[in-house]
Amino acid sequence: MKTAKRIDKICLIDPTCLSDKWKISTHSMREPLGIECIGAVLKASGYNVKILQQRELNDEEFIQKIIEFDPQVAGFTSYSYNFHRACKLARKLKQKKPNIINIFGGYHVSFCLEESKKPFIDFIVIGEGEITTLELINALNDGNEVNNIKGIAYFNRGEIKITSRRNRIKHLDNLPFALRDEKILKNLKVDGLMYPPPSMQRNPALIFSSRGCPYNCYYCASPRFYGSYVSYRSIKNVAKELKTLNEQFGTNVFYFTDLTFNLNKNYVRNLCKQIIQEKLKIYWYVLCRPDNLDEETIKLMKAAGCTKIGFGIDSVSNKILKHINRKISIEKLADVFQMVSDHGIIVRATMMFGFPWDTSDTYEYSLNLLNKLPIDEIRIAIFAPYPGTGFFEKYRDYIISFNYEKYDSQTPLVKTKDIKQKEIQEYVVRAYRSFYASNSYKERVKQKIKKFPELEKSYIEFKKHLKIMI
């Protein structure tokens, strides 16, 4: 298969809109890191690459912006909740430019091939996209058969053709740094509770030090997307990108996208030492497992600029934690949260309501216990069995909607024992309000600011943020 016109220009598209923000926001770091990584590989191979994010533009304005670049290939990334928008854009783009090649990639399409069988989608990249996308475009330019390219799917006469699975990228240092656009970075903020607060942040950026996770949490699609293998960048490679972004864009805040940042304790400690050695004046936010953190590691992380750690606690019920394959106890969580907080690091906890087995007693218990935990910021998502997760298969019969526009972490999607869907949403709002209005929370904040006065502005801005979001 050879294209009518040689491919030179490639537009990589993120359909994220400001309207996609969660009502109770976590952070608005919607930097399209996946396509930025793909774009860097394509650019290094001589292609003219442009990365576009929809944000505040309406569909017609955004399509016009794509057409102005005049690409031969459009690469789309999306989550389940905005897959419909990506499809809408791809359809309109195909109508205006019939010869354009539309390629889709990411978690959703990797697991929903049948549902991705659309006349305006030419190829799907399954799993990690850097090498696969490059090989695909090279093959189209050279007239080579695409069925020899690992990790793609395409549609031929109504049938899905899926090539053999591609092995994971093991040597991540071989990849160039993500292709950044300052216009995108300047619109980003780590909002919610963060130090430095949004008003003091400059061109925040996403970064990763590893890909994959060995744990098999039922609600996560990573086990099927990546497998159990975890690949790492070298410490010097990560530190170099941090330094490059700091010098090039003035970036002072980073969010590490690693699924489990503290999986390898020695790696974390050595990375922190490297950041300290480089004298980088940066701040960062990571996601950690509480069962692999100790005081020495926390001290090093703080010294290297870590100001916030997010924990996926999922529930404050030991019974539910066992049910969802989380091998941790609430008692252990409380101890770790306190240890982190004692070092002036912001503690964020994410949990879920709306499990199939939830009852009103479950929620009442959660509301009472949540207020007693030493947490600075909470995020409560409504359980969604996303495609590719263990829950999607296990509870498929409980799912009440396969309209992926509703897979936004705010909409109840499964039948529960004795709770109505509207009641679940009411419990979520009630949990936020009772947590932040509790005397125990107010007293914790007061004591934390007294001990770490630099955090005062963060709490002030967060309080304003809460009034808007709740």
Side-chain angles (χ1 to χ4, degrees), residues 37 145 153 168 190 201 269 290 295 330 354 400 408 414 428-429 439 448 464:
C37 291
E145 292 294 330
R168 289 280 311 284
V190 182
Q201 295 172 16
R269 290 177 178 178
E295 194 147 15
I330 291 302
I400 58 179
D408 57 4
V414 297
V428 170
V429 174
N439 289 330
K448 196 158 185 174
K464 293 178 181 177

Side-chain angles (χ1 to χ4, degrees), residues 272-273 275-277 279-284 296-307 343 345:
C272 290
K273 291 173 183 176
I275 292 172
I276 294 168
Q277 183 179 320
K279 297 181 180 179
L280 297 178
K281 299 298 182 182
I282 59 173
Y283 305 94
W284 38 282
E296 182 184 348
T297 304
I298 292 169
K299 284 180 180 178
L300 269 173
M301 289 172 67
K302 177 66 185 292
C306 178
T307 58
H343 287 278
I345 296 174

Side-chain angles (χ1 to χ4, degrees), residues 29 31 180-182 184-190 194-206 242-255 280-283:
M29 285 298 293
E31 182 187 356
R180 315 281 180 166
D181 186 335
E182 190 169 10
I184 291 177
L185 296 185
K186 75 176 184 179
N187 286 318
L188 303 176
K189 295 293 179 187
V190 182
M194 180 63 190
Y195 183 83
S199 65
M200 297 169 61
Q201 295 172 16
R202 299 192 309 273
N203 294 333
L206 301 182
L242 290 169
K243 187 175 183 179
T244 299
L245 288 167
N246 180 249
E247 293 177 346
Q248 185 175 354
F249 300 113
T251 300
N252 66 340
V253 177
F254 295 88
Y255 170 57
L280 297 178
K281 299 298 182 182
I282 59 173
Y283 305 94

Side-chain angles (χ1 to χ4, degrees), residues 72-233:
Q72 295 89 38
V73 170
F76 291 84
T77 184
S78 69
Y79 299 97
S80 292
Y81 76 90
N82 65 1
F83 173 65
H84 70 286
R85 181 177 294 114
C87 286
K88 193 176 177 182
L89 291 169
R91 184 190 297 111
K92 288 184 177 182
L93 189 57
K94 200 79 160 176
Q95 289 170 351
K96 293 180 181 290
K97 286 178 66 72
N99 292 327
I100 198 163
I101 298 169
N102 286 333
I103 302 173
F104 273 56
Y107 276 91
H108 185 81
V109 293
S110 292
F111 301 122
C112 298
L113 293 175
E114 188 66 42
E115 295 169 29
S116 304
K117 190 165 64 175
K118 314 281 187 184
F120 48 82
I121 298 179
D122 298 292
F123 297 97
I124 289 173
V125 171
I126 301 169
E128 289 176 301
E130 289 93 343
I131 308 304
T132 306
T133 304
L134 177 62
E135 288 186 5
L136 173 59
I137 292 175
N138 285 343
L140 293 174
N141 263 338
D142 297 339
N144 296 331
E145 292 294 330
V146 296
N147 56 12
N148 294 322
I149 298 170
K150 294 180 179 180
I152 67 167
Y154 57 98
F155 311 104
N156 186 9
R157 298 178 183 178
E159 292 186 7
I160 300 176
K161 302 291 184 182
I162 306 172
T163 64
S164 58
R165 187 178 181 89
R166 180 177 293 276
N167 292 332
R168 289 280 311 284
I169 301 173
K170 292 188 176 181
H171 302 292
L172 296 175
D173 282 11
N174 292 340
L175 299 175
F177 295 158
L179 182 62
R180 315 281 180 166
D181 186 335
E182 190 169 10
K183 292 178 182 177
I184 291 177
L185 296 185
K186 75 176 184 179
N187 286 318
L188 303 176
K189 295 293 179 187
V190 182
D191 58 19
L193 182 58
M194 180 63 190
Y195 183 83
S199 65
M200 297 169 61
Q201 295 172 16
R202 299 192 309 273
N203 294 333
L206 301 182
I207 193 167
F208 67 94
S209 62
S210 67
R211 286 181 180 175
C213 178
Y215 298 101
N216 191 28
C217 297
Y218 295 153
Y219 54 80
C220 181
S222 175
R224 283 188 60 195
F225 192 84
Y226 287 114
S228 60
Y229 177 78
V230 180
S231 54
Y232 283 90
R233 298 169 63 182

